[in-house]
């Protein structure tokens, strides 16, 4: 009985269900400050491009004129932003990265008149909670700068004295190192670098008084590089390409009525010839880069209703309103703002855009492609000729094209008037031409100008001495062809000009050397060139008695002295101009001044002699100026040393054979003898290729580069570089008298 009772008790225990214990409401507790700050940081710094935007806005608030951005691994490993602004005071460094510390406002009412880019004091603090931040800064009047590191809103150690250039450099490393999910998501997604490039491009076309550059860490050239300019259209042309800039219309809207919102808007919108797959809208409100979905939709509606195929527009707008009419405090990243009377502002802008677009739609131009009759399939040729042009934007056209006015009453507007038969031979030239044009149009000045005062002064002298009339000719001309070995023909509006190619190319190369200072790509010589031999060659060509022993000994001494001098300056030449000279006096590298262009290597001896004799190595500014001038003269598009194989120059390549059969190698006048003409085929072919390459480079490298980068100096207006040879108005007057 005892055993049975025990068993029953155990079974009863197994089947027993404990009664639930009643629970009270969960306790509300205060989050730790580090958790709060990290949550807030995740809202402000959503991805690397958010950090770049905040830092650039700080640079603009610091009155910077030059901003440089370096990015590694899309910004996750490194973001470095440098400016030349007023810097940060030493006593402010301890609280620099604490939350809600700012110099932009002191009380909430200041938001009613805020004009700065930032005001919350959360950006730098947020970066320290999701990355490792290092700040290097110097203010005016200080002998040295200071470097401080920050973690979780606090300065790690006391600021350390260090060498620094004017302004501030902020470096963020290992972004989102403590947010594993976000970091993994960003690593698995598309690289953030294109977003950063697009962001800087938008800032660059609005803040034309600031030069911007952006490059990947370790890259030799920048993906974005702009210089200060007074023309916003030039900035758009430099960033987005010629194909975008030429299809833009200026638009202005303003309203000063007391009953409505007082505002002013100016900008550019694309015309009916612009074709793109997606809309590009760059909007600044009170100089702040923002998004406005309502305005964007309103403009898209206008384009959809006005243009066929619902073409997506390119839009740049800058809207200025009274500060009290803008609420900037509605988004953690300040990406959006709220406007007073927003519906009225949008309606006013939409109306003017529609009116401007309808007037531009009355006449349109289309891209017409040259037809290729060399193809074995006529149907393939027909299809190629009907292809639509590639979308406008940063990408350039893939084929040569002409702008054709479509008019059914005008025979010149018909396709057959523009059909051209392609010459046989060299079938790859078309694709080569296409790639070079694309490269030229997409090119930017590759790197930021050095911080040396002497270089800045030389560049400023170029900008200040620019002739506005010649600049308009260069930017808007049409290349017609070469008139002779030196002069090219250009058409500008109704005028025809002869321009000196040598003078233009020499001055362009000089300007590009200064603008690319210390940031050149390099041309590697196939074999190192001996400096003494080069100097001897140059002196021999210049000497009046090249065979004299005394002259030869003197040339040897000059060559030795010049070689030693250039070997002493080799470090500076390589660092600043990418000219590599080794310890044995051999030169193995030269700089790339224009992409797709290599100078005439026959002129290297003259260049080396000029470096040794004509450069003033004592004065920094004059030294850089004379080296740039020497490079400009060397890289200028001089006529080749071989005579042009046409006309009288063809005589140079003939073999003269007398009736007796003996060969005459001189170019004496032997017209009285019976002879038959034979040509030195190899020499003739070399000359033809050299001259053809020069003319090709002039058309497809020199003049596109002139349109993008050249600032014509005033002396070119009077020294014969530009000569007007025809004017349509004057021709009309002459014909009227006939």
């Amino acid at each position: 009985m005892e055993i049975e009772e025990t068993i029953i008790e155990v079974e009863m225990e197994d089947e027993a269900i404990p009664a639930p214990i009643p629970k009270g409401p969960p306790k509300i507790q205060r989050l730790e400050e580090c958790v709060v700050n990290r949550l807030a940081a995740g809202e402000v710094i959503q991805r690397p491009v958010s950090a770049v935007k905040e830092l650039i806005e700080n640079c603009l608030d610091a009155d910077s004129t030059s901003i440089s951005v370096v990015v590694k691994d899309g910004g996750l490993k490194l973001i470095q932003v440098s400016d030349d602004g007023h810097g940060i005071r030493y006593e402010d460094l301890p609280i620099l990265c604490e939350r809600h510390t700012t110099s932009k406002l002191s009380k909430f009412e200041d938001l009613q008149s805020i004009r700065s880019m930032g005001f919350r004091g959360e950006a730098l603090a947020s970066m320290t909670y999701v990355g490792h931040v290092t700040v290097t800064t110097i203010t005016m009047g200080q002998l040295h700068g200071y470097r401080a590191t920050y973690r979780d809103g606090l300065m790690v150690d006391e600021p350390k004295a260090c060498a620094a250039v004017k302004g501030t450099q902020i470096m963020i490393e290992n972004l989102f190192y403590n947010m594993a999910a976000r970091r993994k998501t960003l690593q698995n997604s598309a690289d953030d670098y294109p977003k950063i490039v697009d962001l800087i491009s938008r800032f660059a076309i609005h803040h034309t008084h600031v030069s911007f550059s952006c490059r990947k860490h370790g890259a030799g050239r920048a993906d974005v590089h702009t210089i200060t300019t007074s023309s916003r259209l030039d900035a758009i042309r430099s960033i987005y390409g010629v194909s975008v800039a030429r299809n833009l219309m200026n638009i202005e809207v303003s309203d000063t009525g007391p009953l409505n919102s007082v505002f002013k808007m100016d900008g550019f919108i694309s015309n009916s010839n612009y074709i793109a797959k997606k809309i590009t809208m760059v909007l600044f409100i009170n100089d702040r880069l923002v998004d406005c979905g309502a305005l964007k939709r309103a403009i898209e509606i206008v384009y959809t209703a006005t243009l066929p195929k619902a073409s997506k527009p390119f839009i740049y707008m800058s809207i200025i309103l009274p500060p009290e009419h803008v609420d900037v405090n509605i988004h953690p990243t300040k990406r959006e703002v709220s406007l007073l009377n927003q519906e009225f502002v949008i309606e006013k802008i939409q109306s003017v855009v529609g009116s401007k677009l309808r007037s531009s739609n009355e006449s349109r131009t289309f891209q017409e492609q040259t037809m290729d009759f060399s193809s074995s399939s006529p149907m393939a040729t027909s299809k190629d000729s009907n292809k639509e042009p590639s979308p406008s934007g940063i990408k350039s056209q893939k084929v040569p094209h002409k702008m054709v006015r479509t008019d059914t009453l005008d025979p010149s507007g018909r396709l057959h008037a523009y059909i051209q038969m392609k010459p046989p031979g060299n079938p790859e030239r078309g694709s080569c031409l296409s790639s070079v044009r694309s490269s030229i149009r997409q090119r930017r000045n590759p790197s930021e100008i050095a911080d040396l005062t002497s270089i800045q002064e030389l560049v400023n002298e170029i900008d200040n001495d620019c002739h506005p009339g010649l600049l308009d000719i260069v930017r808007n001309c049409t290349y017609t062809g070469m008139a002779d070995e030196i002069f090219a023909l250009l058409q500008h509006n109704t005028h025809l000009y002869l321009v000196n190619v040598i003078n233009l190319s020499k001055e362009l190369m000089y300007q590009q050397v200064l603008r690319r200072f210390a940031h050149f790509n390099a041309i590697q010589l196939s074999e190192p060139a001996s400096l003494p031999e080069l100097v001897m060659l140059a002196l021999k060509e210049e000497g009046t008695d090249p065979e004299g022993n005394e002259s030869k000994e003197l040339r040897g001494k000059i060559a030795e002295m010049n070689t030693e001098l250039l070997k002493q300056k080799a470090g500076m030449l390589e660092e600043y101009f990418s000219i590599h000279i080794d310890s044995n006096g051999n030169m193995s590298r030269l700089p790339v001044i224009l992409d797709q262009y290599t100078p005439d290597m026959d002129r290297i001896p003259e260049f080396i002699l000029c470096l040794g004799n004509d450069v003033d190595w004592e004065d920094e500014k004059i030294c850089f100026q004379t080296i740039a001038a020497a490079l400009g003269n060397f890289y200028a598009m001089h006529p080749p040393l071989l005579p042009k194989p046409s006309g009288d120059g063809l005589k140079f390549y003939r073999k003269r054979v007398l009736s007796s059969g003996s060969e005459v190698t001189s170019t004496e006048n032997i017209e009285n003898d019976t002879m038959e003409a034979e040509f030195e085929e190899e020499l003739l072919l070399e000359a033809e290729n050299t001259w053809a390459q020069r003319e090709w480079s002039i058309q497809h490298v020199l003049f596109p580069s002139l349109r993008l980068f050249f600032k014509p100096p005033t002396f070119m207006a009077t020294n014969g570089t530009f000569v007007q040879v025809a004017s349509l108005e004057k021709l009309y007057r002459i014909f009227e008298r006939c």
Side-chain angles (χ1 to χ4, degrees):
M1 289 300 292
E2 291 179 1
I3 296 175
E4 291 179 358
E5 289 177 359
T6 303
I7 294 174
I8 292 172
E9 288 177 1
V10 171
E11 291 177 350
M12 291 297 293
E13 288 177 1
D14 290 342
E15 294 178 359
I17 300 175
I21 300 174
K23 292 184 178 180
K27 182 181 179 181
I28 298 176
Q29 54 185 346
R30 181 179 288 105
L31 289 175
E32 295 183 8
E33 186 177 357
C34 63
V35 177
V36 174
N37 291 332
R38 193 172 297 176
L39 290 173
E43 293 181 351
V44 176
I45 309 300
Q46 298 174 350
R47 47 192 318 134
V49 68
S50 306
V52 175
K53 179 177 182 290
E54 296 286 354
L55 293 177
I56 288 179
E57 289 178 342
N58 285 346
C59 296
L60 295 172
D61 283 338
D63 299 327
S64 303
T65 60
S66 176
I67 300 174
S68 173
V69 181
V70 178
V71 178
K72 185 176 183 180
D73 287 356
L76 293 180
K77 284 192 176 180
L78 173 69
I79 297 174
Q80 178 180 294
V81 179
S82 308
D83 67 66
D84 62 350
H86 51 57
I88 302 168
R89 298 192 306 171
Y90 172 78
E91 52 268 28
D92 292 337
L93 289 175
I95 65 168
L96 174 67
C97 293
E98 291 184 10
R99 289 192 69 196
H100 308 308
T101 56
T102 178
S103 61
K104 312 301 172 57
L105 52 79
S106 57
K107 56 183 183 296
F108 182 79
E109 287 73 20
D110 292 342
L111 276 179
Q112 302 298 322
S113 58
I114 194 76
R115 292 186 178 275
S116 59
M117 303 293 108
F119 54 88
R120 292 192 182 122
E122 288 186 319
L124 285 176
S126 298
M127 294 173 199
T128 64
Y129 284 102
V130 295
H132 302 147
V133 177
T134 303
V135 178
T136 305
T137 185
I138 186 172
T139 57
M140 185 179 298
Q142 287 185 333
L143 298 178
H144 57 78
Y146 292 94
R147 179 178 291 118
T149 57
Y150 298 86
R151 302 288 185 276
D152 297 330
L154 300 176
M155 187 169 63
V156 177
D157 296 310
E158 288 295 319
K160 297 179 180 179
C162 64
V165 296
K166 177 188 176 184
T168 303
Q169 180 189 88
I170 297 181
M171 185 167 56
I172 309 172
E173 299 174 286
N174 300 322
L175 193 61
F176 303 124
Y177 73 98
N178 53 2
M179 302 175 69
R182 183 174 300 188
R183 187 176 180 88
K184 187 174 182 180
T185 301
L186 292 172
Q187 285 177 336
N188 294 336
S189 66
D191 193 354
D192 246 39
Y193 186 69
K195 296 182 177 65
I196 294 173
V197 170
D198 178 67
L199 173 78
I200 296 174
S201 300
R202 293 168 182 259
F203 275 110
I205 66 174
H206 180 75
H207 297 280
T208 55
H209 62 285
V210 181
S211 63
F212 290 85
S213 72
C214 177
R215 63 181 175 89
K216 288 185 177 180
H217 181 265
R221 56 175 295 176
D223 295 287
V224 174
H225 181 82
T226 64
I227 59 175
T228 57
T229 176
S230 58
S231 170
R232 183 153 286 120
L233 194 60
D234 286 345
I236 295 175
R237 183 183 293 109
S238 174
I239 294 294
Y240 291 95
V242 178
S243 57
V244 175
R246 70 185 175 197
N247 289 320
L248 295 183
M249 305 179 294
N250 181 252
I251 184 172
E252 295 182 359
V253 184
S254 62
D255 187 89
T256 57
L259 300 179
N260 298 315
S261 179
V262 178
F263 79 98
K264 179 181 179 182
M265 187 278 288
D266 67 274
F268 292 91
I269 61 173
S270 55
N271 59 24
S272 55
N273 299 315
Y274 179 87
I275 300 175
K277 293 181 180 179
K278 64 178 183 179
I279 184 174
T280 300
M281 183 165 183
V282 183
L283 176 63
F284 284 81
I285 296 180
N286 287 1
D287 294 326
R288 188 187 299 273
L289 179 62
V290 296
D291 293 332
C292 183
L295 178 59
K296 184 177 180 180
R297 288 191 297 272
I299 295 177
E300 277 192 296
I301 290 172
V302 174
Y303 274 84
T304 302
T306 307
L307 299 182
K309 298 183 181 180
S311 298
K312 300 299 182 181
F314 178 96
I315 302 160
Y316 161 78
M317 288 185 179
S318 174
I319 302 176
I320 303 298
L321 299 101
E324 60 270 18
H325 290 182
V326 184
D327 186 357
V328 298
N329 192 30
I330 66 171
H331 195 278
T333 64
K334 300 167 290 185
R335 189 178 62 190
E336 299 175 5
V337 295
S338 179
L339 308 180
L340 184 66
N341 296 327
Q342 178 171 294
E343 294 80 6
F344 170 79
V345 174
I346 292 176
E347 182 181 353
K348 188 85 172 178
I349 294 175
Q350 185 184 32
S351 174
V352 176
V353 169
S355 175
K356 188 84 172 180
L357 191 60
R358 284 189 294 272
S359 64
S360 76
N361 199 31
E362 295 176 357
S363 64
R364 300 187 63 192
T365 56
F366 296 88
Q367 310 293 337
E368 178 266 321
Q369 179 177 326
T370 303
M371 299 176 67
D372 184 5
F373 288 92
S374 62
S375 173
S376 59
S377 171
M379 290 301 294
T381 303
S382 176
K383 289 180 181 179
D384 289 342
S385 66
N386 292 327
K387 282 184 180 178
E388 294 181 1
S390 61
S392 298
I394 296 181
K395 294 183 179 179
S396 302
Q397 299 293 335
K398 294 184 178 180
V399 293
H401 63 270
K402 292 177 285 188
M403 304 302 296
V404 183
R405 176 67 180 269
T406 57
D407 186 350
T408 57
L409 300 179
D410 182 8
S412 65
R414 299 173 188 170
L415 186 60
H416 67 78
Y418 292 83
I419 294 177
Q420 296 180 356
M421 297 295 292
K422 289 187 177 179
N426 200 7
E428 298 178 358
R429 174 56 66 92
S431 60
C432 180
L433 171 62
S434 174
S435 64
V436 172
R437 280 186 173 178
S438 176
S439 173
I440 291 295
R441 289 177 179 175
Q442 294 180 21
R443 245 191 100 231
R444 317 286 181 266
N445 253 0
S447 302
E448 60 275 7
I449 295 175
D451 292 325
L452 296 177
T453 304
S454 56
I455 294 297
Q456 294 284 0
E457 290 177 356
L458 290 171
V459 172
N460 290 337
E461 289 174 6
I462 293 173
D463 294 336
N464 296 333
D465 192 42
C466 180
H467 191 286
L470 297 183
L471 180 64
D472 181 57
I473 293 174
V474 170
R475 292 287 169 86
N476 301 290
C477 68
T478 300
Y479 175 81
T480 303
M482 293 297 295
D484 58 17
E485 298 177 0
I486 298 176
F487 286 92
L489 283 168
L490 298 182
Q491 180 183 341
H492 177 257
N493 294 335
T494 58
H495 304 295
L496 189 66
Y497 293 89
L498 275 175
V499 295
N500 189 311
V501 170
I502 299 176
N503 291 352
L504 283 177
S505 59
K506 187 183 300 184
E507 182 66 23
L508 173 66
M509 302 300 178
Y510 168 77
Q511 294 182 12
Q512 285 297 95
V513 169
L514 296 178
R515 296 190 189 280
R516 290 187 166 203
F517 184 82
H519 294 89
F520 292 97
N521 295 330
I523 300 173
Q524 186 72 37
L525 302 184
S526 57
E527 295 182 4
S530 171
L531 294 186
E533 294 179 5
L534 293 176
V535 176
M536 290 288 286
L537 282 174
L539 292 172
K540 186 175 180 180
E541 292 176 0
E542 293 184 355
T544 57
D545 184 19
E547 301 299 331
N549 294 329
E550 183 178 352
S551 176
K552 186 175 182 180
E553 183 179 354
L554 178 60
R555 290 200 302 270
K557 292 182 179 179
I558 295 175
E560 182 180 354
M561 292 174 59
N562 283 354
T563 301
E564 290 302 318
L565 174 63
L566 294 180
K567 284 167 62 177
Q568 294 174 12
K569 307 298 181 182
M572 185 271 283
L573 289 172
E574 181 168 16
E575 180 180 0
Y576 292 153
F577 300 99
S578 194
I579 300 173
H580 178 71
I581 298 173
D582 61 24
S583 57
N584 297 323
N586 297 320
M587 182 176 66
S588 58
R589 280 200 299 271
L590 288 169
V592 175
I593 297 180
L594 287 183
D595 290 348
Q596 307 292 335
Y597 174 68
T598 303
D600 185 355
M601 293 301 174
D602 290 337
R603 298 184 180 273
I604 287 183
E606 178 187 352
F607 168 64
I608 295 299
L609 182 62
C610 184
L611 279 185
N613 289 351
D614 298 344
V615 174
D616 183 350
W617 300 95
E618 302 300 325
D619 183 275
E620 179 182 293
K621 180 178 178 180
I622 299 177
C623 173
F624 293 150
Q625 186 178 33
T626 49
I627 293 176
L631 282 166
N633 184 61
F634 171 39
Y635 280 72
M637 296 186 178
H638 299 279
L641 298 181
L642 289 172
K644 191 170 185 179
S646 62
D648 293 338
L650 199 58
K651 297 177 182 179
F652 179 82
Y653 304 97
R654 286 178 180 168
K655 291 180 181 178
R656 300 185 183 275
V657 182
L658 300 180
S659 56
S660 61
S662 60
E663 185 175 302
V664 178
T665 58
S666 66
T667 57
E668 297 173 349
N669 184 5
I670 52 175
E671 295 179 355
N672 295 329
D673 292 303
T674 305
M675 64 180 180
E676 57 183 31
E678 292 183 2
F679 293 100
E680 295 282 356
E681 295 296 338
E682 293 184 3
L683 189 61
L684 181 63
L685 181 60
E686 179 185 353
E688 289 175 346
N689 291 337
T690 303
W691 280 91
Q693 178 63 39
R694 177 179 183 255
E695 294 184 7
W696 186 89
S697 298
I698 289 172
Q699 180 177 356
H700 301 295
V701 178
L702 175 63
F703 279 99
S705 300
L706 288 170
R707 294 187 188 100
L708 288 175
F709 309 126
F710 189 51
K711 297 292 183 66
T714 53
F715 68 80
M716 283 191 171
T718 57
N719 72 344
T721 301
F722 289 81
V723 179
Q724 182 178 320
V725 294
S727 171
L728 191 60
E729 293 86 351
K730 294 181 180 179
L731 290 176
Y732 272 130
R733 295 191 189 101
I734 294 172
F735 288 132
E736 285 175 354
R737 294 197 297 267
C738 295

